[in-house]
Structure formats: structure tokens, C-alpha cells
Amino acid sequence: MVDTTEVLVVGGGATGTGIARDLALRGLDVTLAERRGLAGGTSGRSHSLLHSGARYAEADPVGAEECIEENRILRRIAGECIRESGGLFVQLEDDDPAYFEEKREACEELGIPAEVIDGDEARRRVPGLSEDAVRAMAVPDGVVYPSRLAAANAADARDNGATILTHAPVEGMTVEGGRIVRVELGGAEDVEPDYVVNATGTWAGQVAAMAGVELEMRPTKGVMVSVYYDGLDPVLNRCRPPADGDIVVPHDHEVVLGTTSVEVDDPDDFEEEEWEVEAMFDECSKMLPPVADAEVSRRWWGVRPLYAPDEASRGGRGISRGFFVVDHAADPDDETAAGRSASPGENVENFASIVGGKLTTYRVMAEQMSDLVADRLGADEACVTDERRLPGADDPERLDAFVEAFDARSPSDEDVLSPSVRRED
């Protein structure tokens, strides 16, 4: 047996479920296939920071503007999928004050709210903050719960006609005449799609290769350590150039310490090294000393879906986390539209990939990919995801029921889910 669909979305993280939702709301027939439960890859193994854009303001103004715009949209539509914590960029005595000023000025130019407070006020807002904190900058950072976010997007897609397949890995693609004509799925019927979207993040190069397309990724692993700690309200960011152990993210009765950035060859097979865990305690405790002795709740590693050509052009970690819609029908020698990049290798007419990006910008990533797909398939409906609230947004129990239905439990937010949804292992 073979199923047919207008669009097959491969990958069930935040971006993939966001694409499925966007396209379903435009009236297209959509099938989403995820090899595990939803949010089983990078989305659910992140530090779950809802960026205000301040982290990127001085180095990547375009990315920073995307972050603050999407931050505001998610506050309108996502409800209990996020926590409106606020954030502080903390300058310690050893940090360069000129960097602090550069970031503050960039935030001001981009319209990112940024209030400078002295060290005493920062310690009043954050009991336990280091005595070495000279000053801080308050910004509208927040926290994302990726399990709920992906599941709510999938639920809205399903309720608008999409088929959501979990535990259905892509096992092969048949390309004939420059088009993908069949996709083989494990655990489900094969699919004959009109169009295929590759939203598999770190694994995008492997999926593209099944269609005979080269898509070079540069995956980097990062560790997160969640420790028991009450009383932290804002996200803490060390105000220095991005480095290991410079973020502390609050949850209900825990905080997440993150993260490292180490290149890996295989996103499914890499060393989980103890030095990375130790570095989180060493570095994060410089901002918040009590976490040095906090009890570990859980730890996990995620792998970032970095696009190799972008990383090579920018020269390394933290400068940008931009995203790219890669149209595999495009001629690599042609000029492409802003924000899109042509792919080398054999052209495949009905295939596109989306790579890079941040959890914060998942919705606009989905919108841009959906715009491309809608154009290719002649669909005229506009995107509505910037205004339409996610189902269950105001009801944590309903959101967690979606998480359970789509097996979207993830280590990033496991501690905030209803007890019936939490993993016991």
C-alpha cells in the first residue's frame, strides 16, 4: 500500500511541526514523518532559551531582529508553551565593559528593550548572584518548553487535516526525472508526495543524500545540566563573547546550565564527555555561585543543525545562528532570493531543506519554507501562524495531553510536564 500527499514534511521538531501546521492552515494536504517521537532531536535537547535578540545584537542584527519579533509573537500565541521569565546579561569583574556597552547600544538601535542596572540591584533581583557582578542589562528573554511547543503545533496541523506519523523513519527515496516520486517509511506506508520538505535539522545532510543531493552540515554538540535550584526568576547570560557555560535557564524548581560547542562527525554517535559537565559547574557558578554544589537532576547533550557554508563564512561559534531555506530545484550558479541558498549536486525539482536557525525563530522558519512550498504548488492562502494561538495554549494539562499523544517528551522540559507524561528512566 502507498499513501499520497501534496507535501511530505520529514522531521518532527519545532520547525517541522511548524511547517506542517502552516501548510495545513493554508489548505494543503500534509503528512509529517518523524523517526522518533516529536521533538526527539535538537528541539527537545536544547537549553530552551527564548531569545530576545540581545545575544546576537552586536554581531548579527538581522538575526537579532528576527528573535525579538518572534519572541513577541510567541508571547501572543504560545501561552503555557513558554515562561515569561525575563533575562539579565551579567557583567562580572573580569568581563570587558566595552563589550557590555557595544551590546547595549546595539539593542537600543534594534529596538530590543534593555535596562541597565547596577550590581546591587541585580543581586536584589537575583538572590545568590555573584558579588563579582558589576552591572547587568535586563532584556525580555524567556524560556520555551519544546515538548509542548512541537506537540501543540502538531495538534493544530492534525486538526486541520494533516497526518502526523511518529516512529516512522525515512528509509529511502526514489527519484525519477528529477523528482522524488516515492519515499519509503519504516513503520508506516510508503508515501508518494508532490513535494518533500527536509526539516530534519542536524540530520538534513543524510536525508538529502537519499535524494542524491549534497547538503553539507557541520554539527556541534552541547551539554545541558539541570540541577535542583529554587528561586531564580530571569535567564542569566554572561555578558561576554559566546563561550562555554554562559547561560543559566530557570525552570520551576530547577535551573539548566549550558552549554558547550564541540564539532562531531556523527550526530547519532559521539562522546558524552565529563569535562563538559564539569565546565558547566565551573563557568555557570561564576555568575550564580550556589549552583556549584547543586544536586544534578538530569543531563543531556544536543546537536546543533549548523549549515557548513554559513559557519565557514562567519568563522566560528556564536557569531550567528541564521537559517537557510535551500531550494534543491535551483541552479547553484543562479542568484537566489534573500534568505535562501541554492544547493550543489543533482537538482531535484520537488525538494527543499531548511537548516540552521534557533528554537526561538522556528515559526518564521516555517513561514518562509511554507511560502516556498505554497508558491511551488500554486496555493494562494497566506500565513496566519503569527496571529493564530496554538491549541491548548492556556491549558497546561491539554498541552501535556498533546505531548503524550505524540510521544513528545523531551529532556529539555521534562521537569515541567505533568507527572503522567514524564519519563521514568
Side-chain angles (χ1 to χ4, degrees):
M1 296 291 293
V2 177
D3 289 331
T4 60
T5 188
E6 287 184 288
V7 186
L8 174 64
V9 178
V10 183
T15 302
T17 57
I19 293 166
R21 177 189 187 224
D22 192 324
L23 291 173
L25 289 170
R26 300 187 198 211
L28 289 166
D29 176 29
V30 181
T31 298
L32 180 145
E34 163 59 41
R35 69 171 180 165
R36 298 177 248 200
L38 297 187
T42 301
S43 293
R45 305 186 70 83
S46 66
H47 53 45
S48 63
L49 173 57
L50 178 66
H51 286 282
S52 63
R55 185 170 177 84
Y56 305 99
E58 75 286 351
D60 180 14
V62 173
E65 286 183 316
E66 288 174 346
C67 282
I68 188 59
E69 181 176 355
E70 292 303 306
N71 178 303
R72 290 165 176 157
I73 290 172
L74 285 178
R75 291 174 190 273
R76 293 199 304 267
I77 71 169
E80 297 293 331
C81 296
I82 66 170
R83 173 177 175 172
E84 297 190 10
S85 64
L88 291 180
F89 275 79
V90 180
Q91 178 193 334
L92 301 183
E93 289 181 355
D94 292 339
D95 297 332
D96 183 2
Y99 183 80
F100 185 101
E101 287 301 321
E102 182 183 13
K103 187 175 290 292
R104 182 194 62 77
E105 292 172 3
C107 287
E108 182 177 344
E109 291 174 3
L110 295 171
I112 300 170
E115 174 196 9
V116 177
I117 59 177
D118 63 23
D120 289 338
E121 174 61 17
R123 280 181 286 273
R124 187 191 69 78
R125 297 187 188 186
V126 182
L129 189 68
S130 173
E131 291 296 324
D132 289 339
V134 176
R135 58 180 172 171
M137 182 165 52
V139 299
D141 283 344
V143 184
V144 182
Y145 301 138
S147 299
R148 289 177 174 175
L149 189 68
N153 274 275
D156 206 17
R158 177 198 61 193
D159 292 347
N160 284 275
T163 299
I164 308 298
L165 302 175
T166 58
H167 304 282
V170 172
E171 297 182 341
M173 295 183 180
T174 301
V175 179
E176 295 178 356
R179 295 179 59 85
I180 297 171
V181 297
R182 187 176 180 125
V183 178
E184 300 169 15
L185 299 179
E189 303 293 346
D190 293 353
V191 176
E192 293 181 348
D194 294 333
Y195 203 93
V196 178
V197 172
N198 178 10
T200 56
T202 303
W203 296 267
Q206 298 172 14
V207 172
M210 294 183 186
V213 170
E214 179 186 349
L215 184 66
E216 188 179 359
M217 303 297 293
R218 183 175 295 174
T220 66
K221 66 172 177 173
V223 70
M224 273 63 62
V225 183
S226 191
V227 301
Y228 294 108
Y229 187 88
D230 272 320
L232 178 64
D233 290 326
V235 175
L236 300 181
N237 302 265
R238 181 85 176 266
C239 197
R240 65 182 183 187
D244 291 349
D246 59 0
I247 297 174
V248 181
V249 180
H251 282 198
D252 291 345
H253 303 291
E254 300 180 13
V255 298
V256 178
L257 315 178
T259 178
T260 47
S261 182
V262 181
E263 284 193 31
V264 297
D265 295 325
D266 185 341
D268 289 313
D269 185 15
F270 55 84
E271 293 292 328
E272 297 181 350
E273 299 177 276
E274 284 300 317
W275 73 261
E276 296 179 81
V277 176
E278 294 170 4
M280 295 308 94
F281 284 100
D282 292 343
E283 291 298 326
C284 292
S285 65
K286 293 176 182 177
M287 284 193 294
L288 193 64
V291 301
D293 300 316
E295 180 185 354
V296 174
S297 166
R298 64 194 183 283
R299 62 188 196 177
W300 66 94
W301 276 257
V303 184
R304 302 174 185 86
L306 306 183
Y307 186 39
D310 182 48
E311 290 297 296
S313 68
R314 293 180 180 273
R317 174 184 177 154
I319 298 174
S320 172
R321 287 293 177 261
F323 67 88
F324 297 85
V325 174
V326 184
D327 181 2
H328 298 300
D331 184 337
D333 295 326
D334 287 346
E335 293 293 328
T336 58
R340 295 180 182 166
S341 174
S343 171
E346 181 181 350
N347 294 340
V348 179
E349 181 181 347
N350 61 336
F351 187 37
S353 299
I354 188 159
V355 294
K358 298 170 282 292
L359 185 58
T360 300
T361 57
Y362 91 92
R363 192 212 60 84
V364 71
M365 293 169 67
E367 179 179 351
Q368 289 199 17
M369 174 58 86
S370 297
D371 284 346
L372 173 65
V373 176
D375 177 69
R376 294 292 187 270
L377 297 181
D380 297 328
E381 296 295 325
C383 176
V384 297
T385 61
D386 58 338
E387 296 292 342
R388 179 185 173 98
R389 282 179 69 79
L390 289 166
D394 299 320
D395 185 347
E397 290 186 3
R398 188 179 174 204
L399 288 170
D400 289 350
F402 294 153
V403 171
E404 189 166 21
F406 294 116
D407 190 19
R409 300 168 300 179
S410 303
S412 289
D413 54 2
E414 184 174 320
D415 58 307
V416 305
L417 301 175
S418 302
S420 63
V421 183
R422 296 177 191 161
R423 293 190 187 276
E424 299 299 330
D425 51 12

